Amino acid sequence: MDHTTRPSPASASTTRVVDVLVPVALNQTYSYRVPRGMELAPGDVISVPLGPREVVAVVWAENARPDPRLHNRLKDVSEKLDVPPLRAELRQLVDWVSTYTLSARGMVLRMTLRMGENLGPERTRLGVRLIGEPPRRLTPARRRLIEVLSDGLLHGKSEAAREAGVSSGVIDGLVDEGTLTVEAMPPPAAPPSPDPSYAQPDFSREQRSAVDVMRTLAASGSFHVALLDGVTGSGKTEVYFEAIAENIRRGKQTLILMPEIALTGQFLDRFAQRFGVRPLEWHSELTPRTRARSWAAISEGKAPVVVGARSALFLPYADLGLIIVDEEHDQAYKQDDGAHYHARDMAVVRAHIAKIPIVLASATPSVESEVNARKGRYQRVALPSRFGGQHMPHIEAIDMRRAPPPRGRFISPVLAEQIRHAIERREQALLFLNRRGYAPLTLCRACGHRFACTICDAWLVDHRFRQRLVCHHCGFSMPRPNICPHCAAEESLVAVGPGVERLQEEAASIFPESRTMVLSSDLITSIETMRSELNEIAEGRVDIIIGTQLVAKGHNFPRLNLVGVIDADLGLSNGDPRAAERTFQLLNQVVGRAGREQGRGVGYLQTHQPEHPVIKALIASDREAFYASEIEIRERTGYPPFGRLASLIVSAGDRPTAEGFARKLVAVAPLDERIQVLGPAEAPLAVIKGRYRFRLLVKSLRNVDLSQYLREWLEAGPKTKGNLKLEVDVDPQSFL
Ligand code: ADP
Ligand code: ZN
């Protein structure tokens, strides 16, 4: 070795280096020098300079043998932050998810560091207290203020001003006179913890045995997956609450994942009824301050129960003991922008790494979970009947070929008749149509012109409430014109097909006396308005509810006994390998809203293909038939879970560039007889936001490490430059 380049022993021993993962789109760690006097260990949350910025990052590993030539080029860690270190299990999860999904490790880390960037310390709130005699000059404002403070206690300064109806100047004046003092308010008390014994219900015999399993599971404190498989209204929530109660007793934290946090108002109340307080919520609409507080509470172990959307999976729990995944089959668990990951699957991975139990709950488990339960990999905990002896809804098909609605209408006379009966009985009816807006297509009767998005391969959807034609893929919108832009004909535009808004118009015209309400994600301005609308329905102040899949999920509407599915065929014909599964799950769930309190639920499926296996299984309430046929098809065709899939989506600003790159990519795919590379094919949604899209589908046997195959292929393959983009989606849920 060349002695001249070796560092002197002194400099080697005094310069410590750590490898740091920064939350940006990079896989590798960066080395930083540890300033003298700073103690750092893996997991510590730190602040480091990154280019011109300071970023919050995490020590990923000690670098025992830093390359001496780099010493002088390395930057120093700026600061060690005063937050608990990320535990090894969470760092392992970040590594695992990144390796599996081929997402940059820094991007996965970013999901755990969502603590609200550098807000600084909490502002201390000021309080005001009455301490001296009133001054001689007493205005009415001063008198009111002294009245408010007459108890001699410390009041929030701004609250006191508001209560007395005075400006803060009035307070300051009295402080100057020595009548009042201003002091710092003590920090707000931590909310009380959920009480596991607050209000435990009496369980039915069937529920009791499931509850026993739940308690044993939570007490086991080891990795174990239970599939809580119970029909709608069987009391799955009540049952898994007992696993949570047990976990709280053990002093550990629980994470409850929900597919759609905007819809959990009723859930929070039910939780409070059972445990005395609401759990901590985690979702994207939290204010930065609340987010920072919640992050701190979670990482310090002060939040015993957290309910959140998929991103809550990556939070730094101090001592997570149990994970619940509610509605585990829901496709909203798949994130398709940024890192492509499936939160249910990654929750199982987290439970495995952390060696803790996990409960997956559903009335219609995903085919994956169903197969795992059949093979004994997951423990099935079944609740085959509704609580309180209520009957499951009776389901009938309405053959739209035999009982069609009048022209331009979408509600069959048969269904209309049933709605009429429901209203006469002062019950509610729910009309389900998974289409937002008024009409999915607008065309000109004179020239045939159809309104399409200028930058997407999609029709513009007519939204009458907003008075605009809207693209559902890029958000482009334009006012609905009065004349055809193509042939200039006047009054010639017609709406084609139904959306929920049009359905409301139809329902209101058939039942002019009834109160209708549309529930659709685009009409929601905030979680709060959503929650209050749902309460209005639950209180019976609406007769006919018209909704998209938003209404399918988790609500209890006591007076709802009739559900009409306007187009049961809608999801069946889109060529998606999961079309049958999705339709079965969605329609089962929607119809399951009916008859939960009174047990007289009826579901009507308007269909043009009553012979379709999915429709037949729904009508016969024959779950077994559905799973048997679906599992057989997947097994025969090698689709998940019997084989594995990944999608590669190539996009570019022009078609030839995208297609050319996709072809080059396929040409260099390593040969492996266990793996098929299909395509490239133009994506069903061929253009989004002006980007032309081509798809490759990679299909392998079940035991192949598909992620590793993809990594080797893409490392050796052509590189994207300029406008080209390559997205990798392991275990794709969407095939558009
Ligand atoms: P699921 O989630 O399986 O659809 P839920 O947990 O929502 O079912 O229960 C359906 C309804 O039955 C809810 O109103 C719930 O409060 C009630 N319920 C279930 N089990 C019990 C019980 N043991 N005691 C009292 N009410 C119950
Ligand atoms: Zn568009």
Side-chain angles (χ1 to χ4, degrees), residues 18-22 28-32 46 48 57-60 77:
V18 285
D19 290 338
V20 172
L21 190 59
V22 284
Q28 79 268 26
T29 53
Y30 281 131
S31 297
Y32 284 88
I46 56 178
V48 294
V58 177
V59 178
W60 221 244
V77 171

Side-chain angles (χ1 to χ4, degrees), residues 312-555:
L313 180 63
F314 291 95
L315 293 173
Y317 301 90
D319 190 8
L320 189 59
L322 173 69
I323 303 177
I324 312 276
V325 183
D326 205 350
E327 309 288 6
E328 67 90 30
H329 63 275
D330 200 296
Q331 55 177 317
Y333 281 121
K334 181 67 192 273
Q335 169 157 307
D336 275 333
D337 48 272
H340 292 255
Y341 70 91
H342 199 300
R344 182 238 302 142
D345 296 348
M346 297 307 119
V348 174
V349 170
R350 180 157 195 174
H352 186 254
I353 292 174
K355 303 192 180 62
I356 57 171
I358 176 168
V359 177
L360 310 179
S362 176
T364 49
S366 61
V367 172
E368 280 83 350
S369 297
E370 176 67 23
V371 168
N372 279 328
R374 289 183 182 206
K375 299 224 156 129
R377 286 192 284 264
Y378 293 177
Q379 176 178 9
R380 190 192 302 272
V381 183
L383 292 169
S385 46
R386 280 191 161 176
F387 176 75
Q390 308 298 11
H391 293 290
M392 292 301 290
H394 169 76
I395 306 180
E396 276 181 36
I398 296 176
D399 187 339
M400 295 297 268
R401 298 165 305 188
R402 295 217 220 127
R407 229 180 113 73
R409 301 271 181 144
F410 306 93
I411 299 172
S412 154
V414 181
L415 180 57
E417 192 55 28
Q418 296 302 326
I419 299 172
R420 188 180 314 284
H421 291 319
I423 295 174
E424 280 165 8
R425 286 195 301 261
R426 308 183 52 80
E427 295 173 3
Q428 290 172 318
L430 166 65
L431 302 181
F432 174 75
L433 176 64
N434 212 5
R435 264 194 184 142
R436 290 178 284 140
Y438 184 87
L441 172 67
T442 302
L443 62 74
C444 169
R445 209 180 313 143
C447 73
H449 174 71
R450 297 164 171 221
F451 285 79
C453 179
T454 48
I455 54 171
C456 298
D457 179 23
W459 306 125
L460 293 179
V461 179
D462 184 358
H463 282 253
R464 291 275 162 102
F465 285 147
R466 286 167 60 193
Q467 302 265 321
R468 295 184 85 82
L469 303 179
V470 182
C471 172
H472 281 186
H473 300 287
C474 70
F476 165 83
S477 75
M478 59 183 269
R480 191 173 189 277
N482 292 322
I483 56 167
C484 174
H486 200 67
C487 69
E490 281 174 43
E491 307 287 319
S492 68
L493 303 184
V494 285
V496 182
V500 278
E501 294 177 14
R502 191 172 193 179
L503 207 56
Q504 181 187 34
E505 191 178 276
E506 183 175 341
S509 80
I510 306 176
F511 305 104
E513 305 294 300
S514 66
R515 295 156 301 176
T516 59
M517 181 187 275
V518 177
L519 281 179
S520 171
S521 55
D522 58 302
L523 302 174
I524 300 172
T525 44
S526 73
I527 291 186
E528 292 316 314
T529 54
M530 172 82 199
R531 285 181 182 164
S532 77
E533 287 188 347
L534 288 168
N535 280 339
E536 259 178 67
I537 298 174
E539 287 161 12
R541 278 184 275 147
V542 174
D543 304 309
I544 306 176
I545 310 148
I546 296 131
T548 60
Q549 62 178 336
L550 206 66
V551 294
K553 295 178 188 179
H555 315 291

